[in-house]
Amino acid sequence: MTYVAVSALSHPGLIREHNEDSLVAGPWTLCATVTENPQTLVFPLGAPLVVAVADGIGGQPGGDVASSLVVRQLARSGPGMTGEDDVREALHACNRRVYTAAENDGPATMGTTVAGAVLLPGSLLAFNVGDSRVFAAPRDGLLQVSVDDNPPTPPGQRTTSLLTQALGGARTFHAVTPHVTACALAPGDRYLICTDGLTDPLPNDVLDELLREFDDGRAAFEMWKAAIAAGGPDNITLALVRVVER
């Protein structure tokens, strides 16, 4: 039997007053709240399993609402996401949902990034809109699978808070172009899905070193601890996904 272990953690960091990140793993959602320790969930690999993070846009009211709406929408649509077109349509639906909520119930402008993966027997569909990230994490080196929706950074600057697209985030409706990548999936494979509260303070080589040394919940904890030690400038949310055959 093949299983998927998902070790997840979400924390506001040291600077932000509130956590505007959210997370989904299968039917389980963690919406704009805090986990004191990594939570590890185990799912059989069979029906489509969606694991994703959403990072509410800072500087706008309702970022926590937007990220919560998106992960709840993905939890509902996840079992039907069997191909790349299904993933794209689900993300378009999330975008429409954020704009509708902003118009009807929320502040005039709210938005969120999203990044995640749909796990299927033998394959994985990585997706993102915005600059939250998906990494393949084999033992021989971390590899980014997602595509950052950021403008080019100036020389000497590694990160930027500017986005070229997001779910919601504008006063009038803007369609999105989701990034979707299909990858082969086999027992032993690991993927890291995270918001930029992890990747902004920690370069890839630090993440790679921690993932080589630790597995599952311990790896999630050590990455969070390293981001906090580096200043914890933003909300930190991550899910470490591992395929296990027993």
Side-chain angles (χ1 to χ4, degrees), residues 82-165:
T82 60
E84 294 183 40
D85 288 343
D86 298 323
V87 174
R88 292 187 180 92
E89 180 49 44
L91 295 175
H92 289 309
C94 288
N95 190 41
R96 293 191 295 269
R97 181 74 182 88
V98 173
Y99 276 108
T100 298
E103 181 180 353
N104 294 338
D105 307 315
T109 305
M110 64 179 181
T112 182
T113 71
V114 67
V118 180
L119 290 95
L120 302 157
S123 65
L124 176 144
L125 302 172
F127 62 84
N128 77 286
V129 177
D131 60 358
S132 293
R133 291 180 176 176
V134 181
F135 294 94
R139 294 295 181 184
D140 59 352
L142 198 66
L143 175 65
Q144 184 173 338
V145 181
S146 57
V147 179
D148 293 340
D149 286 317
N150 299 122
T153 56
Q157 182 175 321
R158 192 174 64 85
T159 65
T160 177
S161 61
L162 299 177
L163 294 170
T164 55
Q165 68 169 351

Side-chain angles (χ1 to χ4, degrees), residues 131-226:
D131 60 358
S132 293
R133 291 180 176 176
V134 181
F135 294 94
R139 294 295 181 184
D140 59 352
L142 198 66
L143 175 65
Q144 184 173 338
V145 181
S146 57
V147 179
D148 293 340
D149 286 317
N150 299 122
T153 56
Q157 182 175 321
R158 192 174 64 85
T159 65
T160 177
S161 61
L162 299 177
L163 294 170
T164 55
Q165 68 169 351
L167 302 178
R171 292 192 175 274
T172 58
F173 178 82
H174 280 65
V176 294
T177 303
H179 306 284
V180 183
T181 302
C183 309
L185 189 69
D189 286 354
R190 293 194 302 168
Y191 283 83
L192 171 64
I193 301 166
C194 60
T195 63
D196 64 357
L198 183 70
T199 54
D200 278 358
L202 299 180
N204 289 1
D205 60 339
V206 173
L207 296 174
D208 184 47
E209 182 178 348
L210 292 171
L211 287 166
R212 288 170 187 262
E213 186 172 357
F214 303 106
D215 282 325
D216 298 343
R218 179 65 186 276
F221 176 78
E222 293 295 338
M223 286 187 288
W224 166 80
K225 187 169 72 171

